[in-house]
Amino acid sequence: MAVGIFDSGLGGLTVLDAVARALPEVPFVYFGDNAHAPYGVRDADDIFNLTCAAVERLWLEGCDLVILACNTASAAALRRMQETWVPDDKRVLGVFVPLIEALTERQWGDNSPPREVAVKHVALFATPATVASRAFQRELAYRAIGVDVEAQPCGGVVDAIEQGDEILAEALVRSHVEALKRRMPMPEAAILGCTHYPLMEHAFRAALGPEVAVFSQANLVAESLKDYLNRRPEFLGSGRVSKFLTTGDPQRVSDKATQFLRRPIRFEAA
Ligand code: DGL
């Protein structure tokens, strides 16, 4: 009954922690494509091919349902995967929709026309590929009107996290927040639109100030997965064992994961 959690690297661990807390009886298999991170600077074909390869590996682990705990893959590859590649007996879900439902105060499956919502000025922090895809704005436009989104491509942050360089990551976060605030001085809400960014949430919050509501995905995705599995229990796959797989060097990736998550995590070669 395992579920697969995929990310280009360490960021999806923020989602894994939340889903494992929400569903303690479910085994999770995590796949970090650390050898190919960051995805955020790759083109859409490249992201599609790498993400499909990772998802196939998770299917081999008995995970019929895979969560792309990666905004870049969700934005640049998920729709194409669902339309052209995922067979009927498998499911691949992304992390965008639960976040946008929370921002626009909607319940799952509420397909009513777009309407006015409380927030009017939203800052989006994401990878260059996610920003370029405009997937966030597209999903938002299905549900809300009159929301002004200012997007900041946060080049370098994922790389610094993957290298374990917290000081550089913090400095980059500060400079990206300053750049965004020059264009939108008073956002009401900020979206951490990359699953690596909650690892630097303290730096985002400090640079944004206390009056900005910060939305990050982990808990929202956990609630939404719980709800999905209640409705579709047939997608709990045959896998029985939780594990962490990486395409990178398992020792190095385990050390970085332990550093950022502040608990011991042991990866094995994918
Ligand atoms: N955690 C991925 C995301 O949510 C990072 C993508 C990357 O590797 O650049 O977008």
Side-chain angles (χ1 to χ4, degrees):
M1 51 187 271
V3 171
I5 306 287
F6 160 79
D7 183 42
S8 60
L10 300 174
L13 292 171
T14 60
V15 173
L16 176 84
D17 266 1
V19 294
R21 257 198 316 275
L23 294 157
E25 71 290 359
V26 175
F28 288 97
V29 182
Y30 186 86
F31 184 107
D33 194 8
N34 303 75
H36 302 109
Y39 278 18
V41 292
R42 294 176 180 274
D43 68 28
D45 279 344
D46 214 6
I47 295 169
F48 175 83
N49 291 328
L50 289 169
T51 307
C52 289
V55 168
E56 271 181 332
R57 179 68 183 82
L58 286 166
W59 287 341
L60 286 180
E61 291 291 328
C63 302
D64 293 347
L65 168 63
V66 175
I67 307 294
L68 301 187
C70 175
N71 290 271
T72 307
S74 303
L78 180 59
R79 187 187 271 201
R80 181 169 159 202
M81 289 169 77
Q82 288 171 333
E83 285 175 2
T84 66
W85 186 76
V86 179
D88 284 347
D89 61 342
K90 305 273 192 274
R91 286 290 181 278
V92 180
L93 304 175
V95 284
F96 258 60
V97 170
L99 175 76
I100 289 172
E101 284 175 345
L103 188 73
T104 57
E105 307 146 31
R106 282 188 182 232
Q107 300 297 322
W108 184 88
D110 174 355
N111 292 324
S112 58
R115 55 177 181 256
E116 292 225 16
V117 294
V119 289
K120 299 284 179 235
H121 302 283
V122 175
L124 170 67
F125 298 95
T127 67
T130 299
V131 171
S133 75
R134 297 189 62 79
F136 179 84
Q137 288 89 331
R138 188 180 63 228
E139 292 293 338
L140 187 65
Y142 292 143
R143 297 170 178 82
I145 44 179
V147 183
D148 184 15
V149 178
E150 191 64 56
Q152 175 67 26
C154 298
V157 177
V158 168
D159 230 351
I161 292 172
E162 288 291 316
Q163 300 308 319
D165 193 339
E166 289 187 60
I167 293 172
L168 175 61
E170 269 180 32
L172 288 167
V173 166
R174 269 196 304 278
S175 88
H176 286 304
V177 171
E178 276 162 26
L180 183 127
K181 280 184 148 182
R182 282 196 286 278
R183 306 194 303 278
M184 182 182 271
M186 306 255 274
E188 291 142 8
I191 307 288
L192 304 190
C194 168
T195 53
H196 280 69
Y197 299 170
L199 298 170
M200 288 291 126
E201 189 163 334
H202 57 284
F204 277 100
R205 284 186 186 276
L208 284 161
E211 58 291 340
V212 182
V214 175
F215 285 75
S216 71
Q217 288 161 316
N219 292 330
L220 300 171
V221 172
E223 281 314 305
S224 150
L225 174 62
K226 201 170 168 177
D227 187 49
Y228 186 85
L229 288 174
N230 277 337
R231 283 180 286 108
R232 306 301 301 271
E234 68 275 24
F235 286 110
L236 276 168
S238 60
R240 289 277 171 273
V241 186
S242 291
K243 57 174 96 163
F244 296 87
L245 302 173
T246 177
T247 54
D249 170 34
Q251 186 58 54
R252 206 178 123 73
V253 174
S254 303
D255 291 347
K256 302 290 168 223
T258 302
Q259 172 192 345
F260 279 105
L261 274 289
R262 295 182 168 80
R263 68 178 171 87
I265 295 179
R266 181 157 301 284
F267 276 83
E268 50 191 278

